[in-house]
Amino acid sequence: MEKVEKIQGAKIGRPGYINENCWLVKNLNYSPYNRCQHCDQKFRNCLFLHYQTISLALILFLLVLSFLIEGKISKLIIISVFTLVIVYGYFFNKSTDKIIKANFAQREAKEALEELTKNLQKKVDEQTKEIRKAYDVEKGARMELEALGNAKNQFMLAIQHHLRTPLTSMNGYVDLLLSGAYGKQPKKTKDVIEKFKNSTGKLIKMVNEFLDITQFQLGKKVVSLRPGVEILPILDDIVKDLVFEAESKGIYIKLNKPEKTYIIEADPEKLKLALFNLFDNAIKYTQEGGVNIKLQDKDGKLQIEIKDTGIGISQENIKNLFGRTFERSDIAKRTFATGRGIGLYISSQIIQAHNGKVWVESEGEGKGSTFHIEFPVEEK
Amino acid sequence: MADKNKKQKKVILVEDNPAIIEIYTTAFKIAHINAEFITLGREAIERVKKIREGKEEKPGLVFIDLILSDINGIEILKEIKGNSKTKDITSFILSNYSPPDFQKTEQIKPDRFILKTSVTPTQLVKIVKEQLN
């Protein structure tokens, strides 16, 4: 189609003009140095042969004609024949040159296009090579980083026993001191021991959280599920622990106790930690009003709803709220300066390890939040 | 009165850390809990074998630490739970090592896993009393 348009658009004598109907052009395959498909002659030779054959035939024809008419070959006839042959040769040669020029132009254009394609391909190859190189560097760095992270996690796991054992002793001795196992302490001493106990407790919580994160990142199990765990006493314990914190802020925390008993398969200590983080967060980020907790049946599962009237969460922050560690929203930082940004991550991982799920709804910043937790319930 | 005279079952703790042994010994002594500490894993396995042969009395509760100086606590748990004569002995893992995947250990599971740092001696006494009663 393109070829036809090219022929129609070009004029005879201009570069690019090719008479597609010419038998020579057809048979010589458009190239002056290619061989003819029929006679194996080169294009130029073929044209010359063609010219010679036609000229010879013309001379012979005219000589025979002259001889037949006049009975002899006159000088005029000979001059006329040679003039005719020269003129024929001139025009034949001129048209042949046009074809050759057109073929050369086409060949040059083709070569230029091939060169351009080659250069373009070279550039594409070079750029691909550079991109691949950059990707390899990035991949290498990422693998190195992953290997380092893995080594760090493995190291943390290896030393977890050594990290926790002295803390267990500290906690144990403090507990014995406060329980009076080593005799009654003066009030001032007891106050100091209480402070020491609080600090030890915080340190234990932090070490346990970091070790839990390490376990999650290595895909290791962190919970030891056992059947027949009643959920309400766990929730009740957490609320009792947090009532003082809520009241000191002038807000409330209320657990709406259901009539039904919910039994789940759980690791009570870990579950308490996960739910404590969520309840504690609700109190931390609520300045007015309070936190309401209720339990309900939902499609044969237990659903716990924690609704607060706090700072709320923007849609942008909701997206990856449970997937981030050591990151907190600006409004969270303004409201409560000392959080570490790991509580929600740990809670969600523990809940998932209980075959449960957690999600959050909020109409936006300043409009409160509702956390939902869902667990499969054990058949009685 | 009858309860007081009734002999309380023994609690065995397989534990090798001297400080922890001292803490739990003190706590159990105050709570009048009859506790015995075994510091070596192989010694604990020998004890289980004696219980199986009827040479020793079954304890009311066994606490096993996972990291011991000679063997892994799981080996002791296997010795208890892997035999029909001893599998009814209530066995808790009490360790500072995170819970291993017990499903991989030939279906042998402890009755409970307790992270040592998460319980105070007072809480542990409460757990023991609940279990023995």
Side-chain angles (χ1 to χ4, degrees):
Chain A
M1 193 69 185
E2 278 176 21
K3 206 172 263 182
V4 174
E5 282 167 6
K6 190 176 176 184
I7 292 158
Q8 284 170 349
K11 286 182 180 175
I12 296 169
R14 288 191 178 176
Y17 170 75
I18 298 165
N19 183 3
E20 297 286 345
N21 295 319
C22 173
W23 67 272
L24 267 173
V25 172
K26 275 183 186 173
N27 291 337
L28 291 167
N29 203 21
Y30 299 98
S31 176
Y33 297 103
N34 277 1
R35 289 182 184 277
C36 175
Q37 290 170 0
H38 295 291
C39 62
D40 204 34
Q41 287 279 345
K42 278 190 178 178
F43 180 73
R44 261 294 198 185
N45 299 343
C46 184
L47 285 177
F48 185 65
L49 189 69
H50 182 72
Y51 165 75
Q52 278 180 326
T53 311
I54 291 176
S55 300
L56 195 65
L58 196 63
I59 291 165
L60 285 172
F61 173 72
L62 290 171
L63 287 175
V64 169
L65 193 69
S66 166
F67 191 77
L68 287 173
I69 295 167
E70 293 184 15
K72 62 170 184 174
I73 299 166
S74 67
K75 282 181 182 175
L76 188 65
I77 286 292
I78 294 169
I79 291 164
S80 301
V81 165
F82 278 99
T83 309
L84 197 66
V85 167
I86 288 163
V87 170
Y88 173 79
Y90 170 75
F91 284 108
F92 192 88
N93 211 27
K94 200 176 174 186
S95 73
T96 310
D97 280 348
K98 275 182 189 173
I99 294 169
I100 292 169
K101 275 179 189 170
N103 285 339
F104 268 119
Q106 191 182 12
R107 190 178 163 189
E108 278 171 11
K110 195 180 168 189
E111 281 175 1
L113 189 67
E114 276 172 4
E115 185 69 21
L116 193 70
T117 311
K118 202 175 160 187
N119 286 341
L120 201 65
Q121 187 59 46
K122 200 178 165 188
K123 279 187 181 173
V124 169
D125 287 348
E126 277 172 8
Q127 283 186 350
T128 309
K129 206 173 167 184
E130 295 230 335
I131 291 168
R132 189 166 292 156
K133 201 176 165 187
Y135 173 76
D136 285 346
V137 169
E138 189 269 339
K139 193 182 170 188
R142 187 155 38 85
M143 281 171 73
E144 203 174 320
L145 206 63
E146 274 174 19
L148 275 171
N150 226 8
K152 184 261 296 174
N153 286 338
Q154 293 289 2
F155 172 72
M156 288 293 282
L157 273 192
I159 63 158
Q160 59 173 315
H161 186 257
H162 304 288
L163 269 175
R164 281 171 171 152
T165 300
L167 290 171
T168 309
S169 305
M170 284 160 69
N171 204 28
Y173 283 122
V174 168
D175 184 67
L176 289 177
L177 277 168
L178 286 173
S179 67
Y182 300 114
K184 201 179 174 188
Q185 310 295 331
K187 194 183 173 300
K188 202 170 179 181
T189 311
K190 207 171 177 179
D191 288 347
V192 173
I193 299 168
E194 280 286 359
K195 284 175 188 169
F196 186 77
K197 187 190 175 186
N198 284 339
S199 300
T200 311
K202 281 178 186 168
L203 188 60
I204 288 173
K205 188 171 182 280
M206 201 166 71
V207 168
N208 283 340
E209 282 176 347
F210 284 135
L211 288 170
D212 281 347
I213 290 173
T214 303
Q215 303 255 68
F216 295 138
Q217 287 173 346
L218 285 171
K220 287 191 181 285
K221 197 180 160 189
V222 291
V223 299
S224 179
L225 299 179
R226 59 187 170 101
V229 177
E230 201 183 327
I231 190 99
L232 195 60
I234 296 174
L235 298 178
D236 212 18
D237 272 359
I238 301 170
V239 171
K240 277 177 191 163
D241 287 347
L242 291 170
V243 162
F244 179 73
E245 190 185 330
E247 284 175 353
S248 63
K249 283 182 78 177
I251 61 168
Y252 64 86
I253 178 164
K254 190 182 171 192
L255 171 65
N256 300 286
K257 292 181 183 173
E259 288 178 5
K260 192 178 169 182
T261 305
Y262 290 99
I263 308 284
I264 64 168
E265 192 182 22
D267 179 331
E269 284 83 25
K270 289 285 180 193
L271 187 61
K272 189 175 176 182
L273 170 73
L275 297 173
F276 186 92
N277 283 341
L278 295 174
F279 292 12
D280 190 37
N281 268 2
I283 292 172
K284 265 182 205 166
Y285 299 114
T286 300
Q287 307 294 356
E288 285 176 16
V291 183
N292 247 311
I293 300 147
K294 67 175 183 183
L295 289 78
Q296 57 187 356
D297 281 311
K298 193 92 177 175
D299 304 325
K301 289 181 177 176
L302 161 66
Q303 205 175 86
I304 304 168
E305 184 189 279
I306 309 150
K307 190 172 187 168
D308 67 56
T309 54
I311 59 169
I313 309 159
S314 69
Q315 291 305 311
E316 193 190 337
N317 285 327
I318 277 183
K319 282 179 202 164
N320 199 21
L321 193 69
F322 298 102
R324 295 179 304 199
T325 47
F326 308 108
E327 276 182 51
R328 298 168 69 223
S329 72
D330 288 341
I331 190 166
K333 283 177 198 163
R334 283 199 301 273
T335 314
F336 192 80
T338 56
R340 284 164 292 142
I342 54 175
L344 289 179
Y345 173 76
I346 289 175
S347 293
S348 71
Q349 294 289 327
I350 292 174
I351 290 166
Q352 282 171 38
H354 280 78
N355 303 311
K357 60 178 181 177
V358 57
W359 69 98
V360 63
E361 288 169 354
S362 176
E363 285 179 23
E365 288 182 353
K367 292 176 181 172
S369 317
T370 307
F371 282 78
H372 301 274
I373 309 157
E374 200 174 84
F375 292 114
V377 183
E378 267 187 14
E379 294 292 325
K380 282 183 184 173
Chain B
M1 195 69 187
D3 278 353
K4 273 187 180 178
N5 292 334
K6 189 181 165 186
K7 196 185 171 190
Q8 195 195 44
K9 281 204 164 187
K10 190 185 270 183
V11 176
I12 294 179
L13 290 100
V14 186
E15 173 62 64
D16 63 352
N17 185 285
I20 306 254
I21 292 173
E22 187 192 326
I23 291 162
Y24 291 161
T25 304
T26 310
F28 289 162
K29 197 174 171 184
I30 292 167
H32 305 289
I33 292 169
N34 181 15
E36 182 190 346
F37 287 85
I38 298 176
T39 51
L40 287 171
R42 294 195 194 286
E43 205 180 304
I45 286 178
E46 282 306 312
R47 174 65 65 89
V48 177
K49 283 177 183 167
K50 280 182 182 172
I51 292 168
R52 207 180 293 153
E53 290 161 6
K55 291 177 185 169
E56 289 276 353
E57 200 183 340
K58 274 187 185 177
L61 179 61
V62 178
F63 286 103
I64 306 163
D65 191 7
L66 284 178
I67 310 293
L68 296 163
S69 57
D70 53 352
I71 56 166
N72 192 308
I74 294 286
E75 297 302 317
I76 304 164
L77 188 71
K78 278 185 191 171
E79 200 66 32
I80 297 171
K81 295 291 179 186
N83 189 285
S84 57
K85 287 181 181 171
T86 50
K87 70 176 181 185
D88 60 329
I89 297 173
T90 309
S91 310
F92 291 174
I93 294 285
L94 178 65
S95 177
N96 269 327
Y97 205 80
S98 299
D101 195 348
F102 289 108
Q103 282 171 348
K104 286 179 187 168
T105 55
E106 300 159 17
Q107 301 297 315
I108 287 177
K109 290 181 185 180
D111 294 290
R112 192 168 168 184
F113 181 93
I114 301 168
L115 191 64
K116 239 186 265 177
T117 44
S118 301
V119 288
T120 59
T122 310
Q123 287 167 330
L124 194 68
V125 164
K126 199 179 160 195
I127 291 169
V128 171
K129 282 186 173 173
E130 277 172 5
Q131 192 57 43
L132 294 182
N133 294 329

